[in-house]
């Protein structure tokens, strides 16, 4: 596999090589512990054992706590094209383990085809994310505490005085092993968090719904439709000499912004599959023409985010395809269609027609409780959605998860209800909410307020062994110099931090934030959050934040 961010990797190589040499004795003990299974996996992988950078990457990952067997990492490679952890997935399969978002379900419930259809009852469990807070000593051992916070203030104070960070800034650095705050500057001052809000959204959604939860889109047939036996004739039926039954079909949105109408679904729920299965079910009942409607009643309230029409987010509706993108992009800003639900329904009508089912022009309608499901497709598990949201700072997924959190907790599924549900879930987890204010799930709303202390507490909670359901919040964080919104950062004077920092970015005009984890020079794990307001320029502020985080390595 070719990793596109090779330039950043080459810049980071000398630093990681030094870390690898320091970590090699401890990592050798980890490797020895898993050697029998790792060897079997490596033999199965055969000729793929070639990548020269594997040792350096493995050392960094082990220090972070992934503790992957060296053979498995080499065979699988660290990242796939979507920024997910290929090595972890491969190793989970090689060790024949359940867990993670499977949480103990039997392996025979897994659908290996990657086609998700709840009507078939064969949803694919997501593989475990391996422990992220294991030290680089013995496998499964705890992270050793940092010896002390001395020196952090001396290193960070001048960096945080950089004018590029504006007039207001706050910071918190915490020892992941003990939870002790090693450095704080205005850590309890609530500032605009921008997209680091998504850390809170991910924790709340996983807590309320669980990592196995999936978002399901259905096509239903209203009662009586196709059962009366009344025939109708169209031009096509007259020409063929055949008549068919008419029916009423409703496309019911399940609040899945990742539902795709593209030919290559790449593991996401497919509108094309839904149309094919719906057409097959209708044909079986003798229905060849339908009056098509679409149902978006799962959500309530206004669809338009308070920031207005914006390429960073589509209208928030329970039915859309490909996040209502009007181009072929999969992440980042993009032009959006004006009416996502109507656009998705029109695409569904075209696909039904291609499968032999004629349709009327689709309009909005609510499916009745008596409607029968013809076919359904489901998203990947919530763990995958949270990872995608964090890796690519996906605003559409964030707002969808806020609404699903509201639904799960009995709140109204609109902007205000989603925000209230997030806050309620965090309070239930015992997190420090003083000064916090939520107004959406994405962080696009400038009225949002979070503290650096809350952000580090969220990350520590995600690392808590008592809350394995929250682990995707850590595994979804972008990796400096490699994935997502950090793929183009940590080069030049911060290149030593490439591969050692995982962090969620936040950017609005005049606001720059960064929160995540970093591995120190001696292999310890720190959790950090930096927020800056009134910043004069985006690039300069990002560089200043990157230098502050790189200084934590030591």
């Amino acid at each position: 596999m070719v990793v596109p961010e090779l330039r950043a990797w080459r810049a980071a190589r000398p630093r990681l090589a030094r870390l690898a040499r320091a970590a090699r004795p401890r990592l050798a003990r980890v490797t020895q512990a898993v050697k029998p299974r790792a060897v079997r996996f490596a033999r199965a992988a055969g000729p793929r054992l070639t990548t020269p950078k594997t040792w350096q990457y493995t050392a960094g990952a082990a220090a972070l706590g992934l503790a992957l067997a060296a053979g498995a990492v080499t065979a699988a490679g660290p990242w796939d094209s979507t920024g997910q952890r290929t090595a972890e997935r491969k190793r989970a399969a090689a060790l024949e383990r359940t867990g993670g978002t499977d949480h103990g379900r039997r392996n025979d419930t897994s659908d290996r085809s990657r086609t998700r259809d709840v009507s078939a009852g064969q949803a694919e469990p997501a593989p475990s994310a391996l422990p992220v807070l294991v030290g680089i000593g013995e496998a499964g051992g705890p992270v050793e505490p940092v010896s002390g916070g001395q020196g952090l203030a001396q290193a960070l104070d001048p960096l945080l005085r950089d004018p590029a960070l504006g007039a207001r800034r706050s910071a918190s650095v915490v020892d992941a092993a003990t939870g002790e705050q090693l450095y704080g500057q205005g850590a309890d001052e609530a500032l605009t968090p921008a997209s680091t809000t998504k850390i809170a959204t991910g924790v709340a959604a996983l807590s309320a719904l669980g990592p196995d939860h999936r978002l399901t889109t259905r096509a239903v047939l209203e009662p009586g439709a196709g059962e009366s036996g009344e025939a109708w004739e169209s031009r096509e039926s007259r020409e063929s000499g055949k008549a068919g039954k008419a029916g009423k079909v409703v496309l019911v949105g399940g609040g899945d912004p990742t539902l795709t109408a593209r030919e290559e679904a790449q593991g996401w729920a497919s509108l094309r599959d839904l149309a094919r299965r719906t057409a097959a079910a209708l044909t079986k009942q003798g229905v060849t023409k339908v009056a098509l409607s679409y149902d978006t009643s799962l959500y309530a309230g206004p669809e338009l985010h308070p920031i207005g029409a914006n390429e960073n987010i589509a209208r928030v509706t329970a039915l859309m395809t490909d996040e209502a993108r009007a181009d072929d992009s999969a992440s980042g800003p993009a032009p959006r269609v004006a009416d996502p639900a109507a656009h998705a329904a029109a695409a569904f009508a075209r696909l039904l027609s291609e499968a032999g089912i004629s349709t009327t022009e689709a309009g909005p309608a609510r499916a009745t409780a008596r409607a029968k499901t013809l076919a359904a497709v489901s998203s990947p598990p919530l763990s995958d959605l949270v990872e995608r949201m964090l890796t690519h700072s996906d605003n559409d997924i964030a707002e969808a998860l806020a609404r699903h959190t509201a639904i799960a907790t009995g709140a109204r599924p609109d902007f205000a209800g989603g925000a209230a549900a997030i806050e309620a879930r965090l309070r239930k987890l015992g997190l420090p909410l003083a000064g916090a204010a939520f107004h959406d799930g994405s962080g696009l709303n400038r009225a949002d307020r979070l503290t650096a202390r809350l952000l580090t507490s969220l990350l520590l909670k995600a690392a808590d062994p008592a809350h394995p359901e929250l682990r995707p919040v850590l595994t979804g964080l972008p990796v400096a110099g490699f994935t997502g919104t950090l793929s183009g950062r940590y080069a030049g004077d911060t290149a030593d931090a490439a591969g050692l920092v995982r962090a969620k970015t936040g950017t609005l005009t005049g606001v720059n934030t960064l929160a995540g984890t970093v591995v120190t020079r001696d292999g310890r794990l720190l959790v950090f959050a930096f927020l800056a307001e009134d910043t004069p320029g985006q690039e300069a502020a990002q560089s200043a934040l990157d230098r502050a985080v790189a200084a934590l390595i030591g």
Side-chain angles (χ1 to χ4, degrees), residues 170 191-203 389-390 393 395 398 422 426 438 440-445 448-452 454-456 458-459 473 477-478 485 489 503-508 511-516 528-532 545:
S170 65
L191 299 180
T192 305
S195 281
T196 54
T197 300
K198 294 180 177 74
I199 296 173
T201 301
V203 168
M389 172 187 70
L390 293 169
S393 200
N395 298 309
I422 290 170
L426 301 190
F438 294 93
D440 65 3
S442 61
L444 287 172
N445 195 317
D448 291 334
R449 294 291 183 271
L450 297 183
T451 66
L454 175 56
L455 285 169
T456 53
L458 284 162
L459 294 166
V473 171
L477 294 174
T485 55
R489 290 169 63 171
K504 180 70 198 76
T505 57
T507 306
L508 293 171
V511 174
N512 294 90
T513 60
L514 197 62
F528 66 86
F530 296 102
L531 297 89
L545 290 176

Side-chain angles (χ1 to χ4, degrees), residues 268-542:
W268 307 101
S270 170
L271 189 71
R272 292 172 180 269
D273 285 347
L274 182 61
R276 282 193 291 267
R277 296 172 191 173
T278 300
L282 290 169
T283 301
K284 187 175 181 180
Q285 298 185 39
V287 177
T288 56
K289 179 179 175 66
V290 298
L292 182 63
S293 303
Y294 58 90
D295 182 348
T296 61
S297 62
L298 182 67
Y299 292 170
E303 295 178 352
L304 191 64
H305 191 281
I307 65 171
N310 192 288
E311 290 193 348
N312 285 294
I313 188 170
R315 299 180 74 93
V316 183
T317 175
L319 178 63
M320 66 173 69
T321 57
D322 301 298
E323 299 182 337
R325 294 173 181 272
D327 58 18
D328 60 357
S329 65
S331 62
R336 311 298 179 114
V337 300
D339 189 338
H343 182 263
F348 189 63
R350 290 193 300 271
L351 293 167
L352 284 178
S353 179
E354 292 173 6
I357 304 296
S358 300
T359 74
T360 62
E361 184 176 348
R366 187 165 186 162
T368 68
R370 295 180 298 160
K372 296 181 179 179
T373 298
L374 293 166
V377 291
S378 290
S379 72
L382 186 66
S383 55
D384 283 17
L385 299 184
V386 168
E387 288 184 334
R388 174 171 165 174
M389 172 187 70
L390 293 169
T391 300
H392 300 290
S393 200
D394 195 305
N395 298 309
D396 300 287
I397 294 178
E399 295 303 340
L401 295 189
R403 279 163 171 70
H404 282 283
T405 302
I407 294 168
T409 57
R412 179 177 166 85
D414 58 11
F415 284 106
I422 290 170
E423 183 173 346
R425 293 307 299 183
L426 301 190
R427 179 170 286 107
K428 187 173 182 179
L429 288 169
L431 291 159
L433 292 172
F438 294 93
H439 295 275
D440 65 3
S442 61
L444 287 172
N445 195 317
R446 287 180 173 274
D448 291 334
R449 294 291 183 271
L450 297 183
T451 66
R453 187 182 303 278
L454 175 56
L455 285 169
T456 53
S457 296
L458 284 162
L459 294 166
L460 287 175
K461 185 66 69 173
D464 189 342
H467 291 280
E469 74 280 3
L470 304 181
R471 208 72 76 243
V473 171
L474 295 183
T475 56
L477 294 174
V479 179
F482 285 92
T483 64
T485 55
L486 284 184
S487 60
R489 290 169 63 171
Y490 289 91
D493 61 353
T494 57
D496 280 357
L500 301 178
V501 174
R502 293 177 180 234
K504 180 70 198 76
T505 57
T507 306
L508 293 171
T509 301
V511 174
N512 294 90
T513 60
L514 197 62
T517 66
V518 59
V519 180
T520 67
R521 183 181 298 275
D522 58 356
R524 306 297 187 250
L525 192 68
L526 303 182
V527 174
F528 66 86
F530 296 102
L531 297 89
E533 278 192 17
D534 303 324
T535 56
Q538 175 181 317
E539 291 187 7
Q542 289 177 345

Side-chain angles (χ1 to χ4, degrees), residues 13-34:
R13 181 181 294 171
R15 171 68 182 91
L16 294 181
R18 293 194 297 272
L19 178 61
R21 287 193 294 272
R24 185 175 289 125
R26 293 178 179 178
L27 185 59
R29 293 195 294 272
V30 175
T31 305
Q32 188 64 32
V34 297

